[in-house]
Amino acid sequence: MALFPHILIVLVIALGTWTTIGLAVAPQNLPPTQRIAAAPVIGWAVHSSLALPLHMLLGMSRTAIMVQFAVSLLAAGVVFIRRIDRSDVSSVPPWTYAAAVFVALAPAIAVFPKPFADGVALASPIFDHSKVAIIDEIIRNGAIPNNPFFGSGGDRLSYYYLWHFSAAELAVLIGVSSWEADAGLSWFTAAGSLLLMMGLAVWMSGRAASAAIVLLLAMTASARPVLAYALGRPAYEWLLQEASGFGGWLFQSSWAPQHLMSASCAIVATILLTETSLRNRSGILLLGLIAAAAFECSVWIGGVTFALASAAAAAMLLPGMMPKRRIEFIAGVLCASLLTALISSPMLRDQYMAAVQRGGCFPFALQSFWVFGDTVPFRRPLDVPGFWLIHLVVELPAIYPIAVCVIVLMLGDRMPNHLPKPITAGLLSIVACGLVIAAFGVSTVGINNDLAWRAALPAAMIMIVFAAAGISDWVARPKRLGLATAALGLGLGTPEGFQIIRQNAFPNATESARAFAKTPEMWATVRRHAGPFERVANNPYFQRDLTPWPINIAWALMSDRRSCYAGLEFAIPFTRLNDQQRNAIDAQFKRVFEGRAEPADVNELADRYGCTVAVVAAADGAWISDPFATSSAYRLVEEERGAWRIYRFDRDAKAN
């Protein structure tokens, strides 16, 4: 199980290392407030995007990682000492830095195990943190991971895994588990994004109070609970579609830290794109590395949203440039783009091959976001205006309405904005493109609309910045109407924010919570009988009630071994199988572990999917009707009476 002291060590080392690197490489023409606030994100992005190709060549040994970290820190320290200016003082109040780290614990704690009596409860976001299996795979196999979720033909993993690679680095460097590294890096990611927003809000408003307001706004969520109470549950369910994965900072940082890091990198890259850093080679290099990190953490944000937003920002900036400056800008952007493509080429190749093998379908399509309930008349035509007038207000009540007001006031010069106009244009392009993509884009890979959910995240972060800047101005003047609007938004968004935090910290225990507490011993035994590169077969739906959707979370968090088939929820995003193939394989594994195996099933587990070791638990239907016990292909190697049996494939016995 993950231990809090180990998670805290991961956080401290991550903050110390990547902040130092970020302070060394951040552009000097940024104000101190923004340089310091963006340092963790910049340092992580530069270090990780360079470390990944390096470790593709050197491997993931502890010695290689220690040397690489030591050289990076030493070089960063030397550069930082030479560049330090005692006049550089951040306008962000020092106490808010500590407050940001504390607030970042709210989403990160969702990853922590919650022990009680003789059991362990897990919060719902642990479902998406099942990608801990990717971290284990990188530690075992190196920076070019095979697919830990499915074994057929030794497919390489087709996923944007830079965030998980950096977690694997920390796990090897410190000697903690992959689960602990995931939790610590989630905490760091949330803190880094908060610091970035705080710095931007202070820079924009010129008021230190806006940093604290960022933290307050970040803790809010949807108005759905308040709306359901006010309208009554039947009317609420008739009016609106049920809640989806669309959400603000608190919700998305709990579930998908890799996308949150991509959003932070996209914001920093946009700032670099729109200010003057592209006039020198170091600025071009920095932009290329951070853009690559954004893509390698999230195709939806770094590969779609940022690409469109940066193109829109460039289109706004180019007409106002002098001809010579225009040529310099275009040349700098092209060079940075080539560097991004070069660094990201291994993942680009894998994503392309996965799309081809799935049938060559385009990864996203146009479709209006569904807002209204299925029984609302003319609901589909109404969805288009409903997204802007209802959905965004419901999902981001403390952010969207206030940010829209502030943006209108700033554009009309009725509210101060201390950001340079090019940077303001770049940030507005992120908001506009992110929300337009969310309104009309739908991803065709998988069953969830990840494109819309993730495209909205960088837009939501920038809207927090605008809203915080505006509220700080209304407090200082003061403006009663603005403050009343802010109070209403906070009142609507705070209840679900508290609910998310409570559920992250104090989840309800399921029926399997006590059994889950005993599984580490089982997986330790499995590791004794299965080599690091062998695949394990066990029930894909083992203790399925531990997560909102049925997956084998015990395998993902604690096995440290590849699965030959980890279940349908993993097969959809992480394999190149079409629907028919996935459903047939899923049905086959269900038959085996429910005790209804057909004659050829057990042999096929070994021959087709590489299942070297098989685990049958007492909760499986196969415990009573055990197909492995009667098979000539597998032999029993260890058993815990009344708990589990471990079998190993015996090639010689099968041949005889």
Side-chain angles (χ1 to χ4, degrees):
M1 296 289 179
L3 300 176
F4 179 76
H6 293 175
I7 296 169
L8 185 60
I9 292 171
V10 172
L11 171 71
V12 170
I13 291 178
L15 273 174
T17 300
W18 289 320
T19 301
T20 301
I21 294 173
L23 289 171
V25 302
Q28 286 293 93
N29 54 343
L30 291 178
T33 290
Q34 196 55 39
R35 265 205 318 278
I36 296 170
V41 171
I42 293 175
W44 177 88
V46 170
H47 177 265
S48 299
S49 55
L50 288 173
L52 179 59
L54 178 67
H55 287 292
M56 286 180 176
L57 298 173
L58 300 180
M60 291 290 293
S61 70
R62 191 173 190 183
T63 300
I65 292 173
M66 288 179 67
V67 170
Q68 179 259 116
F69 264 78
V71 170
S72 300
L73 270 174
L74 181 61
V78 170
V79 173
F80 176 64
I81 290 171
R82 288 182 176 180
R83 294 174 61 180
I84 195 168
D85 185 344
R86 295 187 182 277
S87 64
D88 281 359
V89 179
S90 174
S91 302
V92 177
W95 68 267
T96 59
Y97 288 111
V101 175
F102 178 74
V103 169
L105 182 59
I109 203 170
V111 194
F112 299 9
K114 318 301 187 304
F116 70 93
D118 57 345
V120 174
L122 299 173
S124 295
I126 201 70
F127 173 86
D128 263 9
H129 290 266
S130 58
K131 299 178 183 71
V132 165
I134 297 175
I135 301 172
D136 278 324
E137 173 63 20
I138 294 171
I139 294 171
R140 290 191 305 266
N141 195 62
I144 307 179
N146 278 356
N147 191 339
F149 304 102
F150 179 64
S152 180
D155 291 339
R156 276 171 55 172
L157 178 68
S158 297
Y159 190 69
Y160 29 87
Y161 56 82
L162 182 66
W163 189 90
H164 302 88
F165 160 78
S166 63
E169 280 190 297
L170 292 172
V172 174
L173 178 70
I174 304 169
V176 298
S177 71
S178 55
W179 187 355
E180 292 161 340
D182 181 284
L185 189 59
S186 297
W187 195 350
F188 166 82
T189 301
S193 67
L194 288 172
L195 294 174
L196 174 64
M197 292 188 289
M198 287 162 50
L200 275 173
V202 171
W203 187 9
M204 178 182 290
S205 66
R207 301 183 189 277
S210 58
I213 298 172
V214 164
L215 300 180
L216 187 63
L217 294 174
M219 301 296 281
T220 62
S222 172
R224 285 178 181 269
V226 176
L227 199 60
Y229 177 80
L231 297 178
R233 179 62 60 176
Y236 161 78
E237 292 179 347
W238 173 83
L239 179 64
L240 297 176
Q241 287 281 331
E242 64 181 15
S244 67
F246 189 106
W249 180 89
L250 180 60
F251 177 83
Q252 296 217 44
S253 59
S254 299
W255 284 80
Q258 69 274 28
H259 295 288
L260 179 64
M261 182 59 85
S262 179
S264 299
C265 290
I267 292 170
V268 172
T270 301
I271 294 171
L272 296 178
L273 177 73
T274 53
E275 55 97 42
T276 58
S277 64
L278 293 183
R279 292 182 178 179
N280 56 68
R281 278 178 254 179
S282 62
I284 294 171
L285 176 63
L286 191 61
L287 175 60
L289 292 174
I290 295 175
F295 171 81
E296 291 179 313
C297 284
S298 171
V299 168
W300 305 123
I301 295 175
V304 179
T305 308
F306 171 67
L308 293 178
S310 59
M316 287 189 287
L317 295 174
L318 282 172
M321 293 181 182
M322 298 294 290
K324 182 180 178 181
R325 173 71 185 112
R326 193 177 302 156
I327 293 172
E328 290 177 347
F329 179 81
I330 293 173
V333 170
L334 288 176
C335 291
S337 300
L338 288 173
L339 177 61
T340 298
L342 178 64
I343 294 172
S344 306
S345 57
M347 289 190 195
L348 282 168
R349 173 193 173 278
D350 290 341
Q351 294 288 320
Y352 172 76
M353 293 301 298
V356 169
Q357 293 187 20
R358 285 190 181 113
C361 64
F362 203 62
F364 54 88
L366 293 177
Q367 175 184 295
S368 60
F369 195 96
W370 290 4
V371 176
F372 295 103
D374 294 336
T375 57
V376 174
F378 309 109
R379 60 190 181 279
R380 293 301 162 252
L382 290 174
D383 281 339
V384 176
F387 177 84
W388 303 95
L389 300 177
I390 295 178
H391 179 75
L392 289 175
V393 176
V394 170
E395 296 296 348
L396 306 170
I399 300 168
Y400 173 71
I402 302 170
V404 170
C405 292
V406 171
I407 289 169
V408 171
L409 291 172
M410 284 185 175
L411 292 177
D413 292 328
R414 286 178 288 171
M415 182 175 285
N417 174 18
H418 299 279
L419 290 179
K421 287 185 178 180
I423 293 180
T424 301
L427 298 181
L428 289 176
S429 71
I430 292 179
V431 174
C433 290
L435 294 183
V436 167
I437 293 169
F440 301 108
V442 57
S443 50
T444 58
V445 179
I447 58 176
N448 295 324
N449 189 4
D450 284 305
L451 173 60
W453 299 353
R454 308 315 174 199
L457 179 55
M461 292 173 65
I462 296 302
M463 286 192 290
I464 287 175
V465 171
F466 276 102
I471 293 172
S472 68
D473 184 71
W474 294 336
V475 169
R477 290 217 234 179
K479 295 288 185 180
R480 293 181 181 179
L481 181 59
L483 291 175
T485 304
L488 177 61
L490 288 168
L492 292 172
T494 299
E496 190 175 63
F498 280 133
Q499 185 177 339
I500 290 173
I501 296 169
R502 182 183 62 80
Q503 291 172 345
N504 284 351
F506 307 105
N508 295 324
T510 66
E511 291 184 6
S512 298
R514 286 179 173 80
F516 178 75
K518 301 175 183 177
T519 52
E521 180 186 353
M522 181 184 80
W523 292 117
T525 307
V526 168
R527 287 192 293 273
R528 290 203 302 267
H529 295 285
F533 305 110
E534 294 181 322
R535 293 189 181 270
V536 176
N538 74 311
N539 188 348
Y541 303 101
F542 178 61
Q543 298 175 349
R544 59 185 293 168
D545 64 321
L546 286 168
T547 52
W549 297 273
I551 59 170
N552 187 341
I553 193 66
W555 163 79
L557 295 178
M558 294 184 291
S559 73
D560 191 17
R561 289 296 180 268
R562 297 170 180 169
S563 174
C564 39
Y565 175 72
L568 198 59
E569 293 290 342
F570 291 121
I572 292 171
F574 296 120
T575 72
R576 302 172 183 181
L577 303 169
N578 58 40
D579 290 345
Q580 185 177 0
Q581 292 170 324
R582 287 196 302 263
N583 291 334
I585 295 169
D586 190 68
Q588 184 177 29
F589 274 80
K590 279 184 177 178
R591 285 196 306 268
V592 169
F593 287 96
E594 288 175 357
R596 303 180 292 104
E598 295 178 359
D601 282 342
V602 173
N603 284 340
E604 287 191 0
L605 260 61
D607 295 338
R608 290 182 60 185
Y609 312 117
C611 303
T612 306
V613 171
V615 184
V616 178
D620 299 334
W623 183 258
I624 297 173
S625 180
D626 190 341
F628 297 98
T630 58
S631 169
S632 61
Y634 287 87
R635 59 183 175 84
L636 182 67
V637 292
E638 194 161 346
E639 177 179 9
E640 178 71 19
R641 188 175 298 276
W644 41 261
R645 304 182 190 117
I646 298 175
Y647 296 88
R648 184 168 176 85
F649 177 61
D650 190 336
R651 193 174 302 276
D652 294 335
K654 181 186 175 186
N656 294 332

